[in-house]
């Protein structure tokens, strides 16, 4: 039976409550962040704006990685995931909102509404002032990166990300719905998406790294890591897989998606397990190589977080939970088929991958003036409410089960 999801008033109220908490968190965060620390010149409500960036990037990343995961299914011509294809598509629908929020954050940086991106202050590039005197704001290390970190080139890249990623997400969704209504040409429409997915994956494979350099790594503008792009990508990917898995389990508990086999849930559990280990490997390798080489321009990232600004407990706890929980609890086949295990482990990993982005953004933005209080909790819940509202609204706009898909029967009878 091809059901349509009903976005109930109860579910909407939950989203509204979460967004209401988020609005209160926004107001509280801005109002309580007015005092400028004595040792942080240029501090301009940095904690508030850092939380805006953190949540915008985290939830945008989930949707973007969902688009990648959808394209991967097309390009691999995978049949196993066909019965949850609508769930994956729904997760991708937040992408335009997420990209819009990120673009807004970057533009606010240009207009000096916030000072999260030190390099956006053009004065750091000039050795001398207009009157010929020495410029005290000049930063030689940042000046060396001007060829890449300059506003015209930066926004050319940013606009390319927004248009291409958003365009492909819209194209995949549009064609998927067209295939439902056009049984005679469904194979043609499907294989158009297969070809488009191959193009998207090539573009995404490069730009997922450059985006992380531009939007996140450049906050720590004096630091650079060649592994940072892959590490960030793995974090967004596992967060997206968890989101898709938890939504699927929740829908099944509500009586939807009865065609989804236990083997499909098992496969999602395997993805959760495998990508968690990919993230853990990249996290450890980046840390180990930087620690081993002990180069001043590289160790500053971890030195600031573990020693100078005292984020050590969030750094180590993030790694411990995101590595140990999947390893211990999802190793067995039965655990990957247990909805309760997946809900618990997935929820824990989801929270601590948000914490991973917290560890990326906060130390460079607020230094030791950090917090995990109502500002952080309220804004996280508000963004979560907005994300769920957009995803569930779009989930209700089309039947939960695709029609006329060439691999639908294979997915309905999946056994592993």
């Amino acid at each position: 039976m091809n059901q349509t999801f009903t976005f109930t008033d109860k579910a909407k109220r939950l989203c509204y409550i979460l967004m209401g908490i988020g609005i209160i968190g926004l107001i509280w965060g801005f109002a309580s962040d007015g005092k400028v620390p004595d040792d942080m010149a240029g501090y301009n409500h940095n904690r508030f704006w850092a939380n805006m960036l953190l949540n915008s990037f985290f939830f945008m990343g989930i949707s973007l990685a969902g688009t990648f995961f959808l394209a991967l299914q097309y390009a691999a011509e995978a049949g196993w995931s066909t019965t949850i294809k609508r769930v994956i598509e729904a997760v991708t629908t937040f992408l335009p909102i997420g990209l819009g929020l990120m673009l807004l954050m970057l533009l606010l940086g240009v207009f000096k509404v916030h000072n999260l991106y030190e390099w956006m202050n053009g004065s750091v590039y000039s050795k001398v002032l207009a009157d010929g005197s020495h410029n005290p704001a000049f930063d030689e290390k940042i000046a060396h990166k001007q060829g890449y970190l300059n506003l015209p080139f930066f926004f050319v890249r940013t606009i390319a990300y927004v248009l291409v990623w958003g365009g492909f997400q819209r194209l995949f969704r549009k064609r998927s719905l067209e295939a439902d209504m056009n049984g005679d040409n469904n194979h043609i429409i499907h294989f158009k998406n297969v070809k488009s997915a191959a193009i998207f994956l090539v573009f995404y494979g490069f730009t997922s790294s450059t985006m992380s350099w531009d939007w996140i790594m450049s906050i720590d503008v004096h630091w650079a890591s060649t592994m940072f792009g892959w590490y960030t990508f793995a974090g967004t990917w596992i967060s997206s897989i968890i989101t898709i898995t938890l939504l699927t389990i929740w829908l099944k508990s509500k009586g939807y998606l009865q065609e989804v086999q236990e083997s499909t849930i098992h496969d999602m559990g395997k993805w959760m397990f495998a990508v968690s280990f990919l993230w853990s490997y990249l996290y450890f390798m980046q840390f180990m190589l930087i620690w081993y080489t002990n180069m001043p321009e590289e160790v500053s990232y971890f030195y600031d977080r573990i020693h100078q600004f005292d984020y050590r407990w969030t750094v180590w706890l993030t790694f411990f939970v995101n590595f140990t929980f999947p390893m211990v609890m999802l190793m067995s086949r039965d655990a990957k088929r247990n909805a309760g295990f997946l809900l618990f482990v997935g929820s824990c990993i989801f929270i601590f991958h948000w914490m991973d982005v917290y560890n990326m953004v906060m130390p460079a933005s607020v230094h030791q003036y950090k917090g995990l209080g109502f500002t952080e909790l309220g804004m996280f819940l508000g963004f979560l409410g907005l994300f769920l509202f957009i995803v569930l609204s779009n989930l209700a706009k089309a039947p939960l089960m695709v029609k006329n898909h060439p691999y639908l029967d294979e997915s309905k009878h999946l056994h592993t």
Side-chain angles (χ1 to χ4, degrees), residues 283-311:
Y283 186 105
F284 173 76
M285 288 303 296
Q286 179 175 250
F287 176 83
M288 187 274 290
L289 290 172
I290 289 174
W291 171 80
Y292 182 77
T293 54
N294 199 30
M295 297 172 66
E297 62 270 25
E298 293 182 352
V299 299
S300 61
Y301 183 85
F302 289 105
Y303 180 82
D304 288 349
R305 283 154 178 76
I306 297 173
H307 297 290
Q308 184 169 350
F309 302 141
D310 194 21
Y311 287 74

PDB file of all heavy atoms in Angstrom, residues 283-311:
ATOM      1  N   TYR A 283      39.804  11.523  12.135  1.00  0.00           N
ATOM      2  CA  TYR A 283      40.019  12.332  13.344  1.00  0.00           C
ATOM      3  C   TYR A 283      41.375  11.986  13.952  1.00  0.00           C
ATOM      4  O   TYR A 283      42.183  12.871  14.264  1.00  0.00           O
ATOM      5  CB  TYR A 283      38.899  12.052  14.341  1.00  0.00           C
ATOM      6  CG  TYR A 283      38.904  12.931  15.578  1.00  0.00           C
ATOM      7  CD1 TYR A 283      37.976  13.959  15.708  1.00  0.00           C
ATOM      8  CD2 TYR A 283      39.811  12.732  16.615  1.00  0.00           C
ATOM      9  CE1 TYR A 283      37.952  14.767  16.839  1.00  0.00           C
ATOM     10  CE2 TYR A 283      39.804  13.532  17.742  1.00  0.00           C
ATOM     11  CZ  TYR A 283      38.869  14.544  17.855  1.00  0.00           C
ATOM     12  OH  TYR A 283      38.861  15.341  18.971  1.00  0.00           O
ATOM     13  N   PHE A 284      41.615  10.675  14.129  1.00  0.00           N
ATOM     14  CA  PHE A 284      42.862  10.248  14.767  1.00  0.00           C
ATOM     15  C   PHE A 284      44.072  10.560  13.899  1.00  0.00           C
ATOM     16  O   PHE A 284      45.100  11.037  14.392  1.00  0.00           O
ATOM     17  CB  PHE A 284      42.808   8.753  15.071  1.00  0.00           C
ATOM     18  CG  PHE A 284      44.121   8.206  15.571  1.00  0.00           C
ATOM     19  CD1 PHE A 284      44.539   8.453  16.874  1.00  0.00           C
ATOM     20  CD2 PHE A 284      44.951   7.465  14.740  1.00  0.00           C
ATOM     21  CE1 PHE A 284      45.752   7.967  17.346  1.00  0.00           C
ATOM     22  CE2 PHE A 284      46.176   6.980  15.198  1.00  0.00           C
ATOM     23  CZ  PHE A 284      46.570   7.226  16.506  1.00  0.00           C
ATOM     24  N   MET A 285      43.962  10.309  12.584  1.00  0.00           N
ATOM     25  CA  MET A 285      45.106  10.524  11.704  1.00  0.00           C
ATOM     26  C   MET A 285      45.476  12.003  11.636  1.00  0.00           C
ATOM     27  O   MET A 285      46.659  12.350  11.616  1.00  0.00           O
ATOM     28  CB  MET A 285      44.808   9.989  10.306  1.00  0.00           C
ATOM     29  CG  MET A 285      44.788   8.470  10.221  1.00  0.00           C
ATOM     30  SD  MET A 285      46.336   7.708  10.791  1.00  0.00           S
ATOM     31  CE  MET A 285      47.489   8.341   9.583  1.00  0.00           C
ATOM     32  N   GLN A 286      44.491  12.874  11.583  1.00  0.00           N
ATOM     33  CA  GLN A 286      44.798  14.303  11.573  1.00  0.00           C
ATOM     34  C   GLN A 286      45.517  14.697  12.861  1.00  0.00           C
ATOM     35  O   GLN A 286      46.530  15.402  12.829  1.00  0.00           O
ATOM     36  CB  GLN A 286      43.507  15.117  11.424  1.00  0.00           C
ATOM     37  CG  GLN A 286      43.737  16.618  11.420  1.00  0.00           C
ATOM     38  CD  GLN A 286      42.475  17.402  11.142  1.00  0.00           C
ATOM     39  OE1 GLN A 286      42.337  18.007  10.090  1.00  0.00           O
ATOM     40  NE2 GLN A 286      41.542  17.410  12.082  1.00  0.00           N
ATOM     41  N   PHE A 287      45.004  14.220  13.991  1.00  0.00           N
ATOM     42  CA  PHE A 287      45.633  14.536  15.272  1.00  0.00           C
ATOM     43  C   PHE A 287      47.031  13.927  15.373  1.00  0.00           C
ATOM     44  O   PHE A 287      47.986  14.603  15.765  1.00  0.00           O
ATOM     45  CB  PHE A 287      44.767  14.006  16.423  1.00  0.00           C
ATOM     46  CG  PHE A 287      45.379  14.191  17.777  1.00  0.00           C
ATOM     47  CD1 PHE A 287      45.256  15.401  18.449  1.00  0.00           C
ATOM     48  CD2 PHE A 287      46.100  13.167  18.381  1.00  0.00           C
ATOM     49  CE1 PHE A 287      45.833  15.583  19.693  1.00  0.00           C
ATOM     50  CE2 PHE A 287      46.683  13.338  19.626  1.00  0.00           C
ATOM     51  CZ  PHE A 287      46.553  14.547  20.291  1.00  0.00           C
ATOM     52  N   MET A 288      47.168  12.659  15.010  1.00  0.00           N
ATOM     53  CA  MET A 288      48.439  11.960  15.164  1.00  0.00           C
ATOM     54  C   MET A 288      49.531  12.562  14.293  1.00  0.00           C
ATOM     55  O   MET A 288      50.662  12.784  14.748  1.00  0.00           O
ATOM     56  CB  MET A 288      48.261  10.480  14.832  1.00  0.00           C
ATOM     57  CG  MET A 288      49.486   9.607  15.113  1.00  0.00           C
ATOM     58  SD  MET A 288      50.672   9.551  13.752  1.00  0.00           S
ATOM     59  CE  MET A 288      49.760   8.586  12.548  1.00  0.00           C
ATOM     60  N   LEU A 289      49.211  12.885  13.038  1.00  0.00           N
ATOM     61  CA  LEU A 289      50.214  13.446  12.142  1.00  0.00           C
ATOM     62  C   LEU A 289      50.658  14.833  12.593  1.00  0.00           C
ATOM     63  O   LEU A 289      51.841  15.178  12.508  1.00  0.00           O
ATOM     64  CB  LEU A 289      49.672  13.497  10.713  1.00  0.00           C
ATOM     65  CG  LEU A 289      49.497  12.137  10.022  1.00  0.00           C
ATOM     66  CD1 LEU A 289      48.779  12.300   8.701  1.00  0.00           C
ATOM     67  CD2 LEU A 289      50.846  11.454   9.819  1.00  0.00           C
ATOM     68  N   ILE A 290      49.716  15.633  13.072  1.00  0.00           N
ATOM     69  CA  ILE A 290      50.067  16.969  13.561  1.00  0.00           C
ATOM     70  C   ILE A 290      50.899  16.863  14.840  1.00  0.00           C
ATOM     71  O   ILE A 290      51.886  17.570  15.024  1.00  0.00           O
ATOM     72  CB  ILE A 290      48.794  17.800  13.778  1.00  0.00           C
ATOM     73  CG1 ILE A 290      48.167  18.163  12.423  1.00  0.00           C
ATOM     74  CG2 ILE A 290      49.079  19.064  14.581  1.00  0.00           C
ATOM     75  CD1 ILE A 290      46.836  18.868  12.502  1.00  0.00           C
ATOM     76  N   TRP A 291      50.503  15.963  15.738  1.00  0.00           N
ATOM     77  CA  TRP A 291      51.268  15.764  16.979  1.00  0.00           C
ATOM     78  C   TRP A 291      52.676  15.255  16.678  1.00  0.00           C
ATOM     79  O   TRP A 291      53.660  15.714  17.266  1.00  0.00           O
ATOM     80  CB  TRP A 291      50.519  14.759  17.865  1.00  0.00           C
ATOM     81  CG  TRP A 291      51.302  14.320  19.068  1.00  0.00           C
ATOM     82  CD1 TRP A 291      51.463  14.997  20.241  1.00  0.00           C
ATOM     83  CD2 TRP A 291      52.053  13.114  19.191  1.00  0.00           C
ATOM     84  NE1 TRP A 291      52.266  14.281  21.099  1.00  0.00           N
ATOM     85  CE2 TRP A 291      52.644  13.112  20.483  1.00  0.00           C
ATOM     86  CE3 TRP A 291      52.286  12.020  18.352  1.00  0.00           C
ATOM     87  CZ2 TRP A 291      53.439  12.067  20.943  1.00  0.00           C
ATOM     88  CZ3 TRP A 291      53.084  10.983  18.806  1.00  0.00           C
ATOM     89  CH2 TRP A 291      53.644  11.014  20.084  1.00  0.00           C
ATOM     90  N   TYR A 292      52.797  14.319  15.722  1.00  0.00           N
ATOM     91  CA  TYR A 292      54.091  13.701  15.429  1.00  0.00           C
ATOM     92  C   TYR A 292      55.059  14.685  14.784  1.00  0.00           C
ATOM     93  O   TYR A 292      56.230  14.763  15.145  1.00  0.00           O
ATOM     94  CB  TYR A 292      53.880  12.493  14.514  1.00  0.00           C
ATOM     95  CG  TYR A 292      55.146  11.751  14.177  1.00  0.00           C
ATOM     96  CD1 TYR A 292      55.737  10.888  15.096  1.00  0.00           C
ATOM     97  CD2 TYR A 292      55.764  11.901  12.928  1.00  0.00           C
ATOM     98  CE1 TYR A 292      56.907  10.212  14.801  1.00  0.00           C
ATOM     99  CE2 TYR A 292      56.928  11.235  12.615  1.00  0.00           C
ATOM    100  CZ  TYR A 292      57.499  10.380  13.559  1.00  0.00           C
ATOM    101  OH  TYR A 292      58.665   9.715  13.257  1.00  0.00           O
ATOM    102  N   THR A 293      54.570  15.467  13.817  1.00  0.00           N
ATOM    103  CA  THR A 293      55.463  16.408  13.133  1.00  0.00           C
ATOM    104  C   THR A 293      55.791  17.612  14.003  1.00  0.00           C
ATOM    105  O   THR A 293      56.862  18.212  13.859  1.00  0.00           O
ATOM    106  CB  THR A 293      54.840  16.885  11.810  1.00  0.00           C
ATOM    107  OG1 THR A 293      53.532  17.422  12.071  1.00  0.00           O
ATOM    108  CG2 THR A 293      54.715  15.745  10.821  1.00  0.00           C
ATOM    109  N   ASN A 294      54.842  18.013  14.879  1.00  0.00           N
ATOM    110  CA  ASN A 294      55.090  19.073  15.865  1.00  0.00           C
ATOM    111  C   ASN A 294      55.538  20.384  15.217  1.00  0.00           C
ATOM    112  O   ASN A 294      56.454  21.058  15.697  1.00  0.00           O
ATOM    113  CB  ASN A 294      56.128  18.614  16.893  1.00  0.00           C
ATOM    114  CG  ASN A 294      56.081  19.447  18.167  1.00  0.00           C
ATOM    115  OD1 ASN A 294      55.023  19.946  18.538  1.00  0.00           O
ATOM    116  ND2 ASN A 294      57.220  19.596  18.815  1.00  0.00           N
ATOM    117  N   MET A 295      54.863  20.758  14.124  1.00  0.00           N
ATOM    118  CA  MET A 295      55.168  22.017  13.453  1.00  0.00           C
ATOM    119  C   MET A 295      54.297  23.119  14.047  1.00  0.00           C
ATOM    120  O   MET A 295      53.074  22.940  14.199  1.00  0.00           O
ATOM    121  CB  MET A 295      54.913  21.892  11.951  1.00  0.00           C
ATOM    122  CG  MET A 295      55.807  20.854  11.278  1.00  0.00           C
ATOM    123  SD  MET A 295      55.352  20.549   9.558  1.00  0.00           S
ATOM    124  CE  MET A 295      55.726  22.131   8.816  1.00  0.00           C
ATOM    125  N   PRO A 296      54.884  24.259  14.410  1.00  0.00           N
ATOM    126  CA  PRO A 296      54.125  25.316  15.104  1.00  0.00           C
ATOM    127  C   PRO A 296      52.864  25.752  14.380  1.00  0.00           C
ATOM    128  O   PRO A 296      51.832  25.998  15.011  1.00  0.00           O
ATOM    129  CB  PRO A 296      55.139  26.464  15.204  1.00  0.00           C
ATOM    130  CG  PRO A 296      56.477  25.788  15.172  1.00  0.00           C
ATOM    131  CD  PRO A 296      56.309  24.608  14.252  1.00  0.00           C
ATOM    132  N   GLU A 297      52.926  25.855  13.032  1.00  0.00           N
ATOM    133  CA  GLU A 297      51.755  26.326  12.288  1.00  0.00           C
ATOM    134  C   GLU A 297      50.635  25.285  12.241  1.00  0.00           C
ATOM    135  O   GLU A 297      49.516  25.599  11.824  1.00  0.00           O
ATOM    136  CB  GLU A 297      52.138  26.730  10.863  1.00  0.00           C
ATOM    137  CG  GLU A 297      52.689  25.605  10.002  1.00  0.00           C
ATOM    138  CD  GLU A 297      54.205  25.458  10.092  1.00  0.00           C
ATOM    139  OE1 GLU A 297      54.777  25.860  11.117  1.00  0.00           O
ATOM    140  OE2 GLU A 297      54.802  24.937   9.132  1.00  0.00           O
ATOM    141  N   GLU A 298      50.920  24.039  12.651  1.00  0.00           N
ATOM    142  CA  GLU A 298      49.904  22.995  12.643  1.00  0.00           C
ATOM    143  C   GLU A 298      49.392  22.670  14.044  1.00  0.00           C
ATOM    144  O   GLU A 298      48.196  22.452  14.240  1.00  0.00           O
ATOM    145  CB  GLU A 298      50.451  21.723  11.992  1.00  0.00           C
ATOM    146  CG  GLU A 298      50.735  21.871  10.502  1.00  0.00           C
ATOM    147  CD  GLU A 298      51.223  20.577   9.877  1.00  0.00           C
ATOM    148  OE1 GLU A 298      51.479  19.607  10.637  1.00  0.00           O
ATOM    149  OE2 GLU A 298      51.352  20.528   8.640  1.00  0.00           O
ATOM    150  N   VAL A 299      50.298  22.619  15.024  1.00  0.00           N
ATOM    151  CA  VAL A 299      49.884  22.190  16.371  1.00  0.00           C
ATOM    152  C   VAL A 299      49.007  23.228  17.069  1.00  0.00           C
ATOM    153  O   VAL A 299      48.353  22.907  18.066  1.00  0.00           O
ATOM    154  CB  VAL A 299      51.102  21.871  17.275  1.00  0.00           C
ATOM    155  CG1 VAL A 299      51.923  20.738  16.697  1.00  0.00           C
ATOM    156  CG2 VAL A 299      51.964  23.110  17.488  1.00  0.00           C
ATOM    157  N   SER A 300      48.972  24.455  16.557  1.00  0.00           N
ATOM    158  CA  SER A 300      48.188  25.500  17.212  1.00  0.00           C
ATOM    159  C   SER A 300      46.724  25.103  17.357  1.00  0.00           C
ATOM    160  O   SER A 300      46.070  25.434  18.349  1.00  0.00           O
ATOM    161  CB  SER A 300      48.299  26.815  16.429  1.00  0.00           C
ATOM    162  OG  SER A 300      47.789  26.653  15.111  1.00  0.00           O
ATOM    163  N   TYR A 301      46.180  24.377  16.382  1.00  0.00           N
ATOM    164  CA  TYR A 301      44.762  23.990  16.401  1.00  0.00           C
ATOM    165  C   TYR A 301      44.453  23.152  17.639  1.00  0.00           C
ATOM    166  O   TYR A 301      43.518  23.442  18.391  1.00  0.00           O
ATOM    167  CB  TYR A 301      44.433  23.211  15.130  1.00  0.00           C
ATOM    168  CG  TYR A 301      42.987  22.808  14.996  1.00  0.00           C
ATOM    169  CD1 TYR A 301      42.050  23.684  14.462  1.00  0.00           C
ATOM    170  CD2 TYR A 301      42.566  21.531  15.385  1.00  0.00           C
ATOM    171  CE1 TYR A 301      40.717  23.302  14.328  1.00  0.00           C
ATOM    172  CE2 TYR A 301      41.237  21.148  15.250  1.00  0.00           C
ATOM    173  CZ  TYR A 301      40.325  22.033  14.723  1.00  0.00           C
ATOM    174  OH  TYR A 301      39.004  21.658  14.594  1.00  0.00           O
ATOM    175  N   PHE A 302      45.236  22.105  17.862  1.00  0.00           N
ATOM    176  CA  PHE A 302      44.976  21.234  18.998  1.00  0.00           C
ATOM    177  C   PHE A 302      45.502  21.821  20.298  1.00  0.00           C
ATOM    178  O   PHE A 302      44.926  21.580  21.365  1.00  0.00           O
ATOM    179  CB  PHE A 302      45.574  19.846  18.747  1.00  0.00           C
ATOM    180  CG  PHE A 302      44.833  19.081  17.698  1.00  0.00           C
ATOM    181  CD1 PHE A 302      45.367  18.924  16.425  1.00  0.00           C
ATOM    182  CD2 PHE A 302      43.589  18.531  17.967  1.00  0.00           C
ATOM    183  CE1 PHE A 302      44.674  18.226  15.454  1.00  0.00           C
ATOM    184  CE2 PHE A 302      42.888  17.837  16.999  1.00  0.00           C
ATOM    185  CZ  PHE A 302      43.431  17.677  15.739  1.00  0.00           C
ATOM    186  N   TYR A 303      46.576  22.594  20.216  1.00  0.00           N
ATOM    187  CA  TYR A 303      47.088  23.236  21.425  1.00  0.00           C
ATOM    188  C   TYR A 303      46.048  24.196  22.005  1.00  0.00           C
ATOM    189  O   TYR A 303      45.805  24.212  23.223  1.00  0.00           O
ATOM    190  CB  TYR A 303      48.384  23.994  21.115  1.00  0.00           C
ATOM    191  CG  TYR A 303      48.967  24.682  22.334  1.00  0.00           C
ATOM    192  CD1 TYR A 303      49.736  23.985  23.251  1.00  0.00           C
ATOM    193  CD2 TYR A 303      48.709  26.035  22.576  1.00  0.00           C
ATOM    194  CE1 TYR A 303      50.257  24.608  24.386  1.00  0.00           C
ATOM    195  CE2 TYR A 303      49.218  26.670  23.708  1.00  0.00           C
ATOM    196  CZ  TYR A 303      49.994  25.948  24.600  1.00  0.00           C
ATOM    197  OH  TYR A 303      50.496  26.575  25.725  1.00  0.00           O
ATOM    198  N   ASP A 304      45.428  24.991  21.137  1.00  0.00           N
ATOM    199  CA  ASP A 304      44.397  25.924  21.599  1.00  0.00           C
ATOM    200  C   ASP A 304      43.236  25.188  22.261  1.00  0.00           C
ATOM    201  O   ASP A 304      42.713  25.607  23.298  1.00  0.00           O
ATOM    202  CB  ASP A 304      43.865  26.756  20.432  1.00  0.00           C
ATOM    203  CG  ASP A 304      44.870  27.787  19.947  1.00  0.00           C
ATOM    204  OD1 ASP A 304      45.879  28.003  20.637  1.00  0.00           O
ATOM    205  OD2 ASP A 304      44.629  28.368  18.870  1.00  0.00           O
ATOM    206  N   ARG A 305      42.829  24.088  21.650  1.00  0.00           N
ATOM    207  CA  ARG A 305      41.659  23.385  22.146  1.00  0.00           C
ATOM    208  C   ARG A 305      41.935  22.562  23.410  1.00  0.00           C
ATOM    209  O   ARG A 305      41.090  22.511  24.308  1.00  0.00           O
ATOM    210  CB  ARG A 305      41.104  22.473  21.036  1.00  0.00           C
ATOM    211  CG  ARG A 305      40.328  23.261  19.990  1.00  0.00           C
ATOM    212  CD  ARG A 305      40.302  22.610  18.624  1.00  0.00           C
ATOM    213  NE  ARG A 305      39.490  23.418  17.707  1.00  0.00           N
ATOM    214  CZ  ARG A 305      39.897  24.556  17.145  1.00  0.00           C
ATOM    215  NH1 ARG A 305      41.117  25.029  17.409  1.00  0.00           N
ATOM    216  NH2 ARG A 305      39.102  25.234  16.334  1.00  0.00           N
ATOM    217  N   ILE A 306      43.077  21.939  23.480  1.00  0.00           N
ATOM    218  CA  ILE A 306      43.352  21.047  24.601  1.00  0.00           C
ATOM    219  C   ILE A 306      44.017  21.764  25.765  1.00  0.00           C
ATOM    220  O   ILE A 306      43.775  21.429  26.927  1.00  0.00           O
ATOM    221  CB  ILE A 306      44.223  19.865  24.116  1.00  0.00           C
ATOM    222  CG1 ILE A 306      43.435  19.049  23.083  1.00  0.00           C
ATOM    223  CG2 ILE A 306      44.649  18.980  25.277  1.00  0.00           C
ATOM    224  CD1 ILE A 306      44.242  17.957  22.409  1.00  0.00           C
ATOM    225  N   HIS A 307      44.834  22.782  25.483  1.00  0.00           N
ATOM    226  CA  HIS A 307      45.604  23.439  26.544  1.00  0.00           C
ATOM    227  C   HIS A 307      45.179  24.891  26.764  1.00  0.00           C
ATOM    228  O   HIS A 307      44.648  25.234  27.815  1.00  0.00           O
ATOM    229  CB  HIS A 307      47.104  23.363  26.229  1.00  0.00           C
ATOM    230  CG  HIS A 307      47.630  21.967  26.187  1.00  0.00           C
ATOM    231  ND1 HIS A 307      47.750  21.185  27.308  1.00  0.00           N
ATOM    232  CD2 HIS A 307      48.055  21.210  25.144  1.00  0.00           C
ATOM    233  CE1 HIS A 307      48.222  20.001  26.970  1.00  0.00           C
ATOM    234  NE2 HIS A 307      48.419  19.988  25.662  1.00  0.00           N
ATOM    235  N   GLN A 308      45.398  25.733  25.768  1.00  0.00           N
ATOM    236  CA  GLN A 308      45.256  27.165  26.000  1.00  0.00           C
ATOM    237  C   GLN A 308      43.834  27.569  26.372  1.00  0.00           C
ATOM    238  O   GLN A 308      43.629  28.347  27.316  1.00  0.00           O
ATOM    239  CB  GLN A 308      45.717  27.948  24.771  1.00  0.00           C
ATOM    240  CG  GLN A 308      45.682  29.453  24.991  1.00  0.00           C
ATOM    241  CD  GLN A 308      46.391  30.216  23.881  1.00  0.00           C
ATOM    242  OE1 GLN A 308      47.056  29.635  23.050  1.00  0.00           O
ATOM    243  NE2 GLN A 308      46.240  31.526  23.893  1.00  0.00           N
ATOM    244  N   PHE A 309      42.837  27.063  25.645  1.00  0.00           N
ATOM    245  CA  PHE A 309      41.457  27.486  25.878  1.00  0.00           C
ATOM    246  C   PHE A 309      40.632  26.438  26.617  1.00  0.00           C
ATOM    247  O   PHE A 309      39.434  26.613  26.825  1.00  0.00           O
ATOM    248  CB  PHE A 309      40.777  27.858  24.558  1.00  0.00           C
ATOM    249  CG  PHE A 309      41.488  28.943  23.797  1.00  0.00           C
ATOM    250  CD1 PHE A 309      41.595  28.890  22.415  1.00  0.00           C
ATOM    251  CD2 PHE A 309      42.056  30.022  24.463  1.00  0.00           C
ATOM    252  CE1 PHE A 309      42.248  29.895  21.711  1.00  0.00           C
ATOM    253  CE2 PHE A 309      42.716  31.027  23.768  1.00  0.00           C
ATOM    254  CZ  PHE A 309      42.816  30.964  22.388  1.00  0.00           C
ATOM    255  N   ASP A 310      41.250  25.319  26.960  1.00  0.00           N
ATOM    256  CA  ASP A 310      40.657  24.306  27.839  1.00  0.00           C
ATOM    257  C   ASP A 310      39.331  23.757  27.325  1.00  0.00           C
ATOM    258  O   ASP A 310      38.300  23.791  28.010  1.00  0.00           O
ATOM    259  CB  ASP A 310      40.478  24.868  29.258  1.00  0.00           C
ATOM    260  CG  ASP A 310      40.200  23.774  30.278  1.00  0.00           C
ATOM    261  OD1 ASP A 310      40.532  22.614  29.992  1.00  0.00           O
ATOM    262  OD2 ASP A 310      39.646  24.083  31.339  1.00  0.00           O
ATOM    263  N   TYR A 311      39.373  23.194  26.113  1.00  0.00           N
ATOM    264  CA  TYR A 311      38.238  22.447  25.584  1.00  0.00           C
ATOM    265  C   TYR A 311      38.502  20.944  25.668  1.00  0.00           C
ATOM    266  O   TYR A 311      37.862  20.157  24.968  1.00  0.00           O
ATOM    267  CB  TYR A 311      37.984  22.813  24.117  1.00  0.00           C
ATOM    268  CG  TYR A 311      37.373  24.175  23.901  1.00  0.00           C
ATOM    269  CD1 TYR A 311      38.119  25.338  24.051  1.00  0.00           C
ATOM    270  CD2 TYR A 311      36.044  24.311  23.524  1.00  0.00           C
ATOM    271  CE1 TYR A 311      37.569  26.587  23.844  1.00  0.00           C
ATOM    272  CE2 TYR A 311      35.471  25.560  23.302  1.00  0.00           C
ATOM    273  CZ  TYR A 311      36.244  26.691  23.463  1.00  0.00           C
ATOM    274  OH  TYR A 311      35.691  27.941  23.253  1.00  0.00           O
TER     275      TYR A 311
END
